[in-house]
């Protein structure tokens, strides 16, 4: 467990969209990463992403323009930068539009619907932390239509809850994240989210 505000160095690099966790570990082991001017070879070293000066190959990560998008994640797409099994990821679908973005939470492989992605890692952390209780609505569609509202999305939570009562979920679609809704987006489509919309979250 890390002190508040600190994360593993490998996570800090992946959260900034600079490398996958495995790539970050390799860069760190190879001595290509410095923290506050000193080489750091431990991928699990605690760093403060906003305060520590982290450089890769002698250069600070380039500043990115603030950007947040709403993306309609199709079913059968992984919410990860790369998949060891070669399955399609949200970043494969987004292509150049996903450069520098990190996903706000996850949707599992079989779940479709609204996924937020942002360059603002602090925003991503705030929105996914349970204490902020941002409502995440998901809707199941088939024999029985249900609207479920979550304020903390644990791994496969809805599927596990319904499995426990003998009613397996056959289709799951996230239709909103707080006040931001899927709207008219179609699978694979995305739209820019303004700072004003994010402020409502």
């Amino acid at each position: 467990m890390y002190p508040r505000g600190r994360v593993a160095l490998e996570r800090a690099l992946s959260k900034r969209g600079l490398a996958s966790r495995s790539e970050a570990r390799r860069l760190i082991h190879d001595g290509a990463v410095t923290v506050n001017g000193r080489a750091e070879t431990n991928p699990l070293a605690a760093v403060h992403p906003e305060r520590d000066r982290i450089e890769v190959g002698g250069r600070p990560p380039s500043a990115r323009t603030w950007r947040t998008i709403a993306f309609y994640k199709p079913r059968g797409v992984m919410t990860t930068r790369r998949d060891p099994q070669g399955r399609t990821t949200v970043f494969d679908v987004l292509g150049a539009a996903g450069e520098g973005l990190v996903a706000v939470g996850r949707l599992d492989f079989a779940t479709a619907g609204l996924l937020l992605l942002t360059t603002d890692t602090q925003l991503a952390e705030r929105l996914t932390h349970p204490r902020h209780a941002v409502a995440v609505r998901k809707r199941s569609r088939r024999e029985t239509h249900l609207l479920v509202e979550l304020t903390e999305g644990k791994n496969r939570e809805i599927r596990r809850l319904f499995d426990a009562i003998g009613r397996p979920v056959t289709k799951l679609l996230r239709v909103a994240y707080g006040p931001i809704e899927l709207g008219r987006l179609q699978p694979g489509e995305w739209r820019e989210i303004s700072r004003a919309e994010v402020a409502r979250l």
Side-chain angles (χ1 to χ4, degrees), residues 164-177:
I165 61 170
R167 295 291 185 265
V169 174
T170 56
K171 184 175 181 182
L172 195 60
L173 176 71
R174 180 191 279 165
V175 296
Y177 197 110

Side-chain angles (χ1 to χ4, degrees), residues 4 17-19 24 36 39 54 59 63 69 90 95 104 128-130 159:
R4 187 172 180 178
L18 299 172
N36 298 324
I54 301 170
R59 298 180 181 178
I69 67 169
V90 295
V104 178
T128 53
H129 199 289
R159 294 182 189 278

Side-chain angles (χ1 to χ4, degrees), residues 13 18-28 81-82:
L13 291 178
L18 299 172
S20 66
R21 287 280 184 101
S22 59
E23 289 171 335
R25 280 192 289 273
R26 180 182 56 77
L27 287 168
I28 295 164
R81 195 158 293 278
R82 290 175 187 82

Side-chain angles (χ1 to χ4, degrees), residues 105-106 128 130 134 136 138 150-158 160 174:
R106 292 180 181 269
T128 53
V134 177
V136 178
K138 298 183 182 182
L150 298 178
T151 55
E152 180 182 359
K154 295 180 180 176
N155 185 39
R156 296 179 58 85
E157 184 170 14
I158 291 176
R160 288 187 289 106
R174 180 191 279 165

Side-chain angles (χ1 to χ4, degrees), residues 19 24 35-37 75 107 110 114 121 125 127 141 162 164 168 170 173-174 180-181:
V35 179
N36 298 324
R75 181 185 170 104
L107 287 179
L114 181 63
T121 55
E125 295 284 345
L127 292 179
R141 297 182 63 185
F162 282 95
T170 56
L173 176 71
R174 180 191 279 165
I180 297 176
E181 298 187 348

Side-chain angles (χ1 to χ4, degrees), residues 1-192:
M1 194 69 174
Y2 292 94
R4 187 172 180 178
R6 293 187 175 272
V7 298
L9 177 57
E10 64 176 17
R11 185 178 182 206
L13 291 178
S14 67
K15 280 288 189 182
R16 290 184 181 182
L18 299 172
S20 66
R21 287 280 184 101
S22 59
E23 289 171 335
R25 280 192 289 273
R26 180 182 56 77
L27 287 168
I28 295 164
H29 283 308
D30 289 350
V33 179
T34 60
V35 179
N36 298 324
R38 299 183 62 178
E40 179 56 74
T41 57
N42 178 8
L44 301 180
V47 297
H48 195 299
E50 308 305 324
R51 295 180 189 165
D52 291 329
R53 191 176 80 255
I54 301 170
E55 297 183 343
V56 179
R59 298 180 181 178
S62 57
R64 290 192 177 91
T65 304
W66 185 94
R67 189 165 165 250
T68 300
I69 67 169
F71 172 62
Y72 190 146
K73 175 197 165 300
R75 181 185 170 104
V77 171
M78 298 295 293
T79 309
T80 184
R81 195 158 293 278
R82 290 175 187 82
D83 181 61
Q85 298 178 41
R87 292 170 293 187
T88 302
T89 73
V90 295
F91 294 98
D92 293 330
V93 177
L94 285 166
E99 188 176 340
L101 298 174
V102 295
V104 178
R106 292 180 181 269
L107 287 179
D108 67 37
F109 184 73
T111 300
L114 181 63
L115 181 68
L116 301 185
L117 296 102
T118 184
T119 57
D120 188 339
T121 55
Q122 283 189 316
L123 172 66
E125 295 284 345
R126 286 197 305 270
L127 292 179
T128 53
H129 199 289
R131 74 172 175 266
H132 297 297
V134 177
V136 178
R137 288 190 292 146
K138 298 183 182 182
R139 181 176 65 208
S140 171
R141 297 182 63 185
R142 195 174 172 184
E143 293 86 358
T144 304
H145 294 206
L146 298 173
L147 187 65
V148 181
E149 186 168 301
L150 298 178
T151 55
E152 180 182 359
K154 295 180 180 176
N155 185 39
R156 296 179 58 85
E157 184 170 14
I158 291 176
R159 294 182 189 278
R160 288 187 289 106
L161 287 171
F162 282 95
D163 282 344
I165 61 170
R167 295 291 185 265
V169 174
T170 56
K171 184 175 181 182
L172 195 60
L173 176 71
R174 180 191 279 165
V175 296
Y177 197 110
I180 297 176
E181 298 187 348
L182 198 56
R184 296 183 179 180
L185 289 177
Q186 297 300 307
E189 293 182 347
W190 57 273
R191 71 175 180 87
E192 299 284 344

